[in-house]
Amino acid sequence: MLQAFSDNAIYAKCRSFFGERLTPADYGEMMKKSSVSEVAAYLKESTHYRDVLSGADEGTIHRGQLENLLRNEKFRIYERIIQYDARRDGDFYHYIYLREEIDQLINLLMYLSGGCDGEYFYRYSDYLKKHCTYDLDRVVLARSFDQLLEILAGTQYAKILEKDRPEGEDRFDLAACERNLNTYYYRSLLDTIDKEFSGETRRALHRLFLERIDAENIAGAYRLRRFFKNTPDSIRLNLLPFETPSRKLIDDIIASGTPAELEQVLRHSQLGEMMEEGDIQFIENITHRLRNHLSKRYIWYSSHPPVVMVALMTQLDLELENLINIIESIRYGLDPAEMKKLLVI
């Protein structure tokens, strides 16, 4: 009975928060703004971000501060939802922080790979700082691969990245580091699901995260084939090593010989209905629309509370990305019509 009450509460909370998400009209209003301060003022006055922005001075807030505060909203909602789940102390409910701490490492590695010119500008949520398994404040100060490994000593991440430590003056392989970190994330997550769930809930969670792996592998295979002309064997080595529902589609992408063939492969797949004019250059636009479509379907039709909760977090991730795209677009003076192409609504 207690679990049934818990499940009903999670359904209700998730669907309530889903109903509060930003609307196309909200995005339309923000795209008319001419400054970050005006966007902050709108979010503070008219949207569910009012609480995380309550202490902010929208007249002086800068882009980095605003993005950090907006990131806090996802975690605020997440922690309000999981308090209703009797399983909240299990490892599965740490997945959101595991994803974030790995993303921080990947962002830092990108910076190190680019030559470390200037100060590393990092953004992370106050919530992540409470849950992170490594010393976040020290990690963001690393200025070389060796320094990063030294700071991470004793963690699982040091073991993962040690395999890619370069010899002498060689540069480290950023793509390999990113692939290995993401492989660790998904493998840990799927193993945890197997340990903590059973039956249809376990199968539904597996399907949800395998669909996410699919989206990453489809985008990766497409970019490597179209823009870098990698060989089929090289492409496969760069993908996440999991058996997923769209394996045939990925094989067809890898086997495509021309951009026209690639486009036909996508149009005849489940991604076809997600494609819009000009999308063929930006595969992430298509895969993000698919994530948007699937997560909405899970929220409305899944009978498994953890699945509904993960789907809501996906919606909040996409919403945050939309907001960051609007803020960046205003910063660079893009026209609202161009901004709209970057949004997933």
Side-chain angles (χ1 to χ4, degrees):
M1 182 176 289
L2 180 61
Q3 190 59 53
F5 173 81
S6 168
D7 289 350
N8 289 335
I10 292 170
Y11 286 131
K13 281 292 181 184
C14 285
R15 286 165 182 157
S16 173
F17 284 123
F18 179 68
E20 293 178 7
R21 73 196 190 286
L22 300 180
T23 66
D26 288 322
Y27 288 121
E29 287 299 317
M30 285 185 284
M31 286 189 287
K32 296 175 187 175
K33 306 303 182 186
S34 59
S35 69
V36 171
S37 293
E38 289 179 6
V39 172
Y42 182 85
L43 289 168
K44 185 175 181 179
E45 293 166 9
S46 307
T47 73
H48 66 89
Y49 290 93
R50 63 180 65 87
D51 288 341
V52 293
L53 294 175
S54 61
D57 181 353
E58 60 270 30
T60 60
I61 196 168
H62 63 68
R63 175 178 57 91
Q65 290 173 322
L66 178 57
E67 290 180 12
N68 273 344
L69 289 172
L70 296 180
R71 280 184 171 83
N72 282 340
E73 176 69 351
K74 178 179 77 170
F75 296 103
R76 182 187 74 85
I77 290 173
Y78 179 73
E79 294 197 349
R80 285 188 63 184
I81 291 170
I82 65 169
Q83 68 179 318
Y84 294 98
D85 199 323
R87 298 163 293 206
R88 62 183 174 272
D89 293 328
D91 289 339
F92 174 74
Y93 284 102
H94 185 72
Y95 94 94
I96 192 169
Y97 303 112
L98 180 63
R99 178 70 270 173
E100 287 290 317
E101 68 183 26
I102 287 175
D103 284 344
Q104 284 296 325
L105 291 177
I106 290 172
N107 289 339
L108 177 59
L109 287 165
M110 288 178 179
Y111 163 78
L112 296 177
S113 178
C116 306
D117 292 330
E119 183 180 356
Y120 174 60
F121 181 64
Y122 55 92
R123 309 182 186 103
Y124 54 79
S125 163
D126 294 336
Y127 289 89
L128 175 59
K129 195 169 179 180
K130 288 191 301 183
H131 295 275
C132 195
T133 62
Y134 54 77
D135 188 335
L136 198 50
D137 288 334
R138 287 188 65 215
V139 160
V140 298
L141 297 177
R143 290 297 174 266
S144 71
F145 196 87
D146 284 342
Q147 278 186 17
L148 179 59
L149 285 179
E150 182 180 338
I151 294 169
L152 291 172
T155 71
Q156 65 270 35
Y157 300 117
K159 296 175 185 175
I160 294 166
L161 294 174
E162 180 66 42
K163 295 179 289 187
D164 297 305
R165 185 198 288 266
E167 295 185 8
E169 298 299 316
D170 292 345
R171 296 168 66 95
F172 65 89
D173 186 338
L174 175 62
C177 292
E178 184 172 357
R179 181 181 65 252
N180 291 335
L181 287 168
N182 282 329
T183 297
Y184 167 76
Y185 167 72
Y186 284 114
R187 189 158 284 143
S188 298
L189 182 54
L190 294 172
D191 287 346
T192 297
I193 290 168
D194 285 339
K195 292 173 187 173
E196 298 186 359
F197 298 94
S198 60
E200 282 301 317
T201 299
R202 179 166 62 192
R203 283 188 285 273
L205 284 168
H206 262 270
R207 182 167 60 249
L208 186 156
F209 285 106
L210 288 174
E211 287 170 351
R212 192 163 296 182
I213 294 169
D214 257 340
E216 292 189 34
N217 279 345
I218 287 167
Y222 179 87
R223 283 195 305 270
L224 291 171
R225 193 63 177 145
R226 179 176 176 127
F227 301 113
F228 297 96
K229 306 295 189 283
N230 285 43
T231 65
D233 287 345
S234 171
I235 294 172
R236 288 190 177 90
L237 283 174
N238 280 282
L239 301 182
L240 297 172
F242 297 89
E243 284 298 321
T244 60
S246 295
R247 191 71 213 181
K248 184 179 184 307
L249 171 59
I250 294 167
D251 287 341
D252 289 344
I253 289 172
I254 292 172
S256 298
T258 66
E261 287 178 15
L262 269 174
E263 181 170 0
Q264 285 306 305
V265 166
L266 293 181
R267 290 197 181 280
H268 287 91
S269 73
Q270 62 176 334
L271 296 173
E273 60 189 74
M274 305 292 157
M275 294 174 67
E276 296 178 2
E277 189 67 30
D279 267 351
I280 199 63
Q281 294 288 334
F282 305 104
I283 186 66
E284 283 79 6
N285 287 3
I286 306 170
T287 56
H288 284 183
R289 283 193 206 104
L290 181 61
R291 284 182 65 195
N292 185 38
H293 169 75
L294 292 174
S295 59
K296 286 178 179 177
R297 190 176 70 185
Y298 281 127
I299 288 170
W300 286 118
Y301 300 114
S302 176
S303 58
H304 309 288
V307 171
V308 175
M309 184 272 295
V310 173
L312 177 65
M313 293 302 107
T314 300
Q315 283 289 303
L316 292 173
D317 283 335
L318 293 169
E319 184 171 277
L320 176 61
E321 189 159 338
N322 284 341
L323 288 172
I324 290 173
N325 282 334
I326 288 174
I327 292 166
E328 294 292 327
S329 297
I330 289 172
R331 180 188 179 202
Y332 290 107
L334 262 66
D335 181 85
E338 292 301 311
M339 286 188 214
K340 190 174 181 180
K341 295 177 183 178
L342 301 174
L343 306 185
V344 175
I345 303 174

